[in-house]
Amino acid sequence: MHLSDLMKRFKGGISIALSLVAVENVAWIFEPFLFGWVIDALIDTATGKGRIMLTLPLVLWVGAFMVNSIVGALRRSIVQKIFLRMFTEIAADVAAMGKKHRLSVSKTAARAELSREYVTFFQYRVPDIMDQTISIVGTVLALTFYDWRIALTCLCIVLPLLFITKFYIQKVIVLQRSVHDTREEAYEIFSQKEPELVRAYYHSMAGQQQKIANWGAVNFLIMRIFLLGIFMIVMYIAIDLAQFTTGNIYSIVAYLWTFVTSSEYLPELLESWTSLKDISRRLKTEDV
């Protein structure tokens, strides 16, 4: 069972869900620019300069906000039905393969529960990945519009991020395998009806998960340090080197903050990805 196979099998529902995600996030990436325009228009109106008419930027900003809100509401309603049906089909397939290969009931049930992570990945992680990708790429493009030096500074984080990402995946994937090995033993442990065995079982799993959390914390801190440096450099360019309006500065800060928060979310997405790779290996037909 591979991600590519699931994408082909459920391509209709997945396409609908991801299309809604794309529209929702593309609409939102325009919001800082449009609201910065609204701020400048309000200032011009208040000071009597009248260089910028308030109506157009206000209408466009409200429009982008409403598109994001309405599509976001539809997505949260529609995708639940899509992915509940998807999990039902996957769990039935795991049960059929378990029967075919004469696996124990406990291992088959454990793998069916592990397969829920496929649905979680498509329902939450893939939209998150799209969200962060659109945010990062859209932010860099938007910042280029204001000052190419700002966009270039943001791009300087790419190489450190690639190095940190590779190192993090190598460490976490080994720990994820250990966690999944332990989870497959859950039903066997409970079948013995010994509270001390259950306590030892979850204590062992907690230790493995804590190691994953520790690596995530280290990765998060390193990324934040790099992002802080970028934030300071960009603010220096925006305030000292360029002649920006108040609305421009708002937009730049909003885009920069979007870039920072999107980048720092990567460790959690990577953890989900490494977990799913191991589950996919376990659910291959020849291994089940």
Side-chain angles (χ1 to χ4, degrees):
M1 189 179 295
H2 295 280
L3 284 175
S4 58
D5 297 329
L6 293 175
M7 291 181 71
K8 291 177 182 177
R9 181 177 176 184
F10 302 101
K11 61 182 179 181
I14 292 174
S15 296
I16 292 172
L18 297 186
S19 295
L20 292 172
V21 172
V23 173
E24 180 184 357
N25 286 284
V26 168
W28 195 244
I29 205 68
F30 283 101
E31 191 275 340
F33 167 77
L34 294 173
F35 194 70
W37 192 9
V38 170
I39 290 174
D40 284 339
L42 285 170
I43 292 173
D44 277 4
T45 300
T47 57
K49 295 180 180 179
R51 293 177 302 179
I52 303 176
M53 296 297 294
L54 178 60
T55 305
L56 178 59
L58 185 60
V59 168
L60 292 176
W61 174 70
V62 170
F65 189 93
M66 291 306 299
V67 168
N68 173 267
S69 301
I70 293 171
V71 174
L74 287 173
R75 178 175 69 84
R76 284 159 177 78
S77 174
I78 293 172
V79 300
Q80 185 71 7
K81 182 178 180 180
I82 292 172
F83 291 112
L84 284 174
R85 183 182 302 167
M86 181 178 177
F87 175 66
T88 300
E89 296 298 323
I90 293 173
D93 289 347
V94 173
M97 287 189 288
K99 180 179 180 181
K100 177 180 179 181
H101 294 275
R102 298 181 180 179
L103 294 179
S104 66
V105 173
S106 62
K107 179 165 285 192
T108 301
R111 291 190 174 185
E113 191 59 30
L114 282 174
S115 70
R116 186 183 294 275
E117 293 199 23
Y118 280 106
V119 179
T120 300
F121 184 79
F122 280 114
Q123 186 172 0
Y124 300 108
R125 298 311 184 193
V126 172
D128 285 342
I129 290 170
M130 287 184 64
D131 183 5
Q132 308 316 316
T133 301
I134 292 172
S135 295
I136 291 173
V137 174
T139 294
V140 172
L141 292 175
L143 290 173
T144 303
F145 173 80
Y146 292 101
D147 192 309
W148 65 269
R149 294 169 297 186
I150 297 177
L152 183 61
T153 303
C154 290
L155 287 175
C156 289
I157 193 65
V158 173
L159 289 179
L161 281 180
L162 290 176
F163 176 79
I164 295 170
T165 296
K166 182 178 180 179
F167 184 76
Y168 179 79
I169 289 176
Q170 290 173 345
K171 295 295 182 181
V172 170
I173 195 168
V174 175
L175 294 170
Q176 288 286 7
R177 288 172 183 165
S178 181
V179 169
H180 293 155
D181 287 340
T182 304
R183 288 179 64 180
E184 286 190 346
E185 299 171 0
Y187 290 87
E188 295 290 349
I189 295 296
F190 276 91
S191 68
Q192 298 181 50
K193 301 180 180 179
E194 292 290 340
E196 290 304 317
L197 287 177
V198 173
R199 180 178 289 107
Y201 167 80
Y202 280 109
H203 179 75
S204 173
M205 184 183 294
Q208 297 160 0
Q209 292 173 323
Q210 183 61 53
K211 290 179 181 178
I212 294 174
N214 291 342
W215 277 111
V218 171
N219 193 25
F220 175 82
L221 179 60
I222 293 173
M223 290 178 61
R224 291 284 290 188
I225 292 172
F226 276 106
L227 291 169
L228 176 61
I230 286 179
F231 197 103
M232 299 301 292
I233 293 171
V234 170
M235 291 307 298
Y236 171 72
I237 295 172
I239 295 174
D240 286 354
L241 299 185
Q243 300 297 320
F244 289 129
T245 65
T246 303
N248 290 157
I249 292 177
Y250 162 82
S251 299
I252 290 170
V253 171
Y255 278 124
L256 185 58
W257 196 249
T258 298
F259 181 86
V260 169
T261 53
S262 297
S263 299
E264 70 185 17
Y265 193 52
L266 289 176
E268 186 175 343
L269 296 178
L270 292 173
E271 182 180 330
S272 177
W273 173 249
T274 55
S275 174
L276 203 64
K277 285 178 65 178
D278 182 63
I279 293 172
S280 182
R281 178 185 62 82
R282 292 167 190 269
L283 297 182
K284 287 181 181 178
T285 303
E286 61 268 26
D287 292 337
V288 174

